[in-house]
Amino acid sequence: MTVRTGEVMCLLGPSGSGKSTFLRCINHLEKIDAGTISVAGELVGYRRQGDRLHELRDAEIATRRADIGMVFQSFNLFPHMTVLQNLMEAPVGVRRETPRVARERALDLLSVVGLADKAAAYPRSLSGGQQQRVAIARALAMRPKLMLFDEPTSALDPELVGEVLDVMRGLADDGMTMIVVTHEIGFAREVADTVTFMDGGVVVESGPPAQVLGAPTHERTRSFLAKVL
């Protein structure tokens, strides 16, 4: 599987098919059993020495992971920090940016996600949609080369889904490389360059949205789409 710079891939499939596990393997939150994964030409979690792979030390893994942003289903914001502090924590602590630079970028990102007026708020005072937009801004604050989204709207009330998808559409328009696990078929049809259907831990079918969603070739893909469309 290859995702090119600037592309958006949407992963579809039933629960338990391996979509979220695959995302977690990309940033080495889960260890792979075989094969390799590379981001921007760098192996994830390992270095090659001759014909063998050796797992990196935790500090080295963390350094490479900093280039991969991830947005989870359940926001995972730091509850004891303000929105602004949530966005500044990693750039200052990991990227070693100055607080002034991190603060300026955090405020710019909050404007991008439509939450410029929430910098001093705490997560508990925000709606689910607002918290997820903060989570997206926090991931972007690290200037990632790749953004992973693990069903970012699944924990939201239906009326809040649109505001998060709008932010993701904006990222796609700006050329962010994205892999998105989603059940939002309309979003996949509109935004994805490639739609990949997984089942049982394997890729069943992959291709342009019009092909996979409009004229799937595999019976398993057809039966899944018949239940969700």
Side-chain angles (χ1 to χ4, degrees), residues 69-172:
M70 187 161 184
V71 179
F72 300 87
Q73 298 179 32
S74 54
F75 324 138
N76 289 336
L77 299 176
F78 302 121
H80 62 293
M81 295 182 180
T82 66
V83 166
L84 184 61
Q85 289 169 336
N86 264 276
L87 267 65
M88 291 177 58
E89 179 70 12
V92 172
V94 178
R95 293 284 194 202
R96 303 304 181 192
E97 292 183 3
T98 66
R100 181 185 63 80
V101 169
R103 185 177 189 277
E104 290 177 358
R105 176 155 174 78
L107 292 173
D108 287 344
L109 287 169
L110 288 176
S111 295
V112 168
V113 300
L115 294 171
D117 60 333
K118 299 296 184 182
Y122 284 88
R124 63 179 176 274
S125 69
L126 305 179
S127 70
Q130 290 172 331
Q131 290 188 62
Q132 194 62 297
R133 283 186 281 157
V134 171
I136 293 172
R138 183 178 64 174
L140 292 173
M142 289 291 284
R143 306 177 189 270
K145 297 174 181 175
L146 169 67
M147 283 284 286
L148 308 176
F149 293 87
D150 188 7
E151 297 189 42
T153 60
S154 65
L156 301 179
D157 292 333
E159 61 194 27
L160 301 177
V161 169
E163 63 189 52
V164 174
L165 294 182
D166 284 344
V167 171
M168 295 171 65
R169 287 188 185 95
L171 294 180

Side-chain angles (χ1 to χ4, degrees), residues 19-227:
K19 307 183 301 297
S20 295
T21 299
F22 174 54
L23 286 196
R24 292 172 64 84
C25 287
I26 292 174
N27 59 13
H28 207 62
L29 291 175
E30 297 279 355
K31 297 181 182 182
I32 58 177
D33 300 309
T36 59
I37 298 172
S38 62
V39 175
E42 294 279 352
L43 284 175
V44 174
Y46 299 90
R47 60 179 170 83
R48 188 181 297 279
Q49 187 170 334
D51 295 330
R52 302 189 65 181
L53 294 178
H54 299 270
E55 189 170 14
L56 299 175
R57 296 191 301 269
D58 289 345
E60 294 173 302
I61 292 171
T63 297
R64 295 193 182 180
R65 189 181 285 146
D67 289 331
I68 306 171
M70 187 161 184
V71 179
F72 300 87
Q73 298 179 32
S74 54
F75 324 138
N76 289 336
L77 299 176
F78 302 121
H80 62 293
M81 295 182 180
T82 66
V83 166
L84 184 61
Q85 289 169 336
N86 264 276
L87 267 65
M88 291 177 58
E89 179 70 12
V92 172
V94 178
R95 293 284 194 202
R96 303 304 181 192
E97 292 183 3
T98 66
R100 181 185 63 80
V101 169
R103 185 177 189 277
E104 290 177 358
R105 176 155 174 78
L107 292 173
D108 287 344
L109 287 169
L110 288 176
S111 295
V112 168
V113 300
L115 294 171
D117 60 333
K118 299 296 184 182
Y122 284 88
R124 63 179 176 274
S125 69
L126 305 179
S127 70
Q130 290 172 331
Q131 290 188 62
Q132 194 62 297
R133 283 186 281 157
V134 171
I136 293 172
R138 183 178 64 174
L140 292 173
M142 289 291 284
R143 306 177 189 270
K145 297 174 181 175
L146 169 67
M147 283 284 286
L148 308 176
F149 293 87
D150 188 7
E151 297 189 42
T153 60
S154 65
L156 301 179
D157 292 333
E159 61 194 27
L160 301 177
V161 169
E163 63 189 52
V164 174
L165 294 182
D166 284 344
V167 171
M168 295 171 65
R169 287 188 185 95
L171 294 180
D173 290 341
D174 290 340
M176 174 61 73
T177 309
M178 299 160 57
I179 302 178
V180 185
V181 172
T182 184
H183 292 300
E184 301 290 338
I185 304 299
F187 175 83
R189 181 181 285 112
E190 174 189 351
V191 176
D193 296 291
T194 302
V195 171
T196 297
F197 177 72
M198 291 183 66
D199 188 38
V202 299
V203 172
V204 174
E205 189 165 352
S206 186
Q211 172 194 317
V212 176
L213 299 177
T217 60
H218 198 283
E219 174 55 36
R220 183 66 185 93
T221 312
R222 290 195 292 270
S223 66
F224 174 80
L225 291 174
K227 296 174 182 176

